[in-house]
Amino acid sequence: MDDYNAAMIGKVVEVLVDGYDEDFEQFYGRTFADSPDIDGRVWIASEESIPEGEFVKICIDGLIDGDLSGYIVEELEMTTASKITLIRIAMIPVFMVLMYLANNTFGLWMLISLALFIIASLTDFVDGYIARKYNQISDFGKFLDPLADKLLVIAAMVMFCQWGRFPAWALVIVLCREFAVTGLRLIA
């Protein structure tokens, strides 16, 4: 049994929570495949309360008295709001190609790229609205949404700089500011 347990370290398993042990100050349960008759527990490190009978995904990181122990793995939730943000990111290369085809002249390509920029900007409002209204706020979305905004705006500024309509020094200032703000947010 010890070889089996040692081989499980690093794996993610689904665990049925059976209760809380006051002595170890940890939750415990059994893997989905185990029956209640099997003598062995999976210890679950969690700061939040876990209701009995709930299934949680655990990453096994060690052993406690021969039993598996691990921590809850948060899954990357692909919410509707996050999907909209990913669509906005996918629009950026298309926007750049359209701007390149416009070649600094007002015409059909410039109008199409402007329309795409407006649509991409509106998706920022839409994904934020959906995330708040339907409680789809996630860590993934908190990270990805501002990144998508920055990429879209910087893509437009780079094209304007390429055409000579936006000074390079201003682009450098904006880029430095964005990196500084992002760095400060990561520290805080």
Side-chain angles (χ1 to χ4, degrees), residues 13 22 32 40 46 58 67 87 90-91 106 115 121 123 139 158 170 172:
V13 296
E22 298 288 335
F32 182 69
S46 176
I58 305 298
D67 292 325
I87 289 170
M91 288 181 184
F106 186 78
S121 298
T123 63
D139 291 335
V158 165
V172 170

Side-chain angles (χ1 to χ4, degrees), residues 30-95:
R30 58 184 180 275
T31 62
F32 182 69
D34 291 341
S35 70
D37 301 330
I38 293 178
D39 183 29
R41 291 184 168 168
V42 178
W43 295 99
I44 307 163
S46 176
E47 294 178 10
E48 298 179 18
S49 179
I50 310 169
E52 286 185 33
E54 182 173 318
F55 284 99
V56 292
K57 289 197 178 190
I58 305 298
C59 180
I60 304 300
D61 64 355
L63 302 172
I64 297 177
D65 291 337
D67 292 325
L68 299 172
S69 68
Y71 56 91
I72 295 177
V73 177
E74 293 185 27
E75 293 183 27
L76 180 64
E77 293 184 36
M78 193 54 61
T79 63
T80 303
S82 294
K83 290 176 185 175
I84 293 171
T85 302
L86 288 172
I87 289 170
R88 180 164 71 253
I89 290 174
M91 288 181 184
I92 295 169
V94 177
F95 168 73

Side-chain angles (χ1 to χ4, degrees), residues 129-148:
Y129 175 79
I130 288 172
R132 286 185 292 279
K133 180 167 174 81
Y134 297 104
N135 196 25
Q136 293 184 356
I137 297 170
S138 66
D139 291 335
F140 181 66
K142 288 179 191 176
F143 167 76
L144 198 62
D145 187 62
L147 179 65

Side-chain angles (χ1 to χ4, degrees), residues 88 91 95 98-99 110-126 152 156:
R88 180 164 71 253
M91 288 181 184
F95 168 73
L98 292 171
M99 291 284 282
M110 183 71 74
L111 290 173
I112 294 171
S113 62
L114 174 64
L116 186 63
F117 184 86
I118 291 170
I119 291 168
S121 298
L122 288 174
T123 63
D124 183 32
F125 167 76
V126 171
L152 179 63

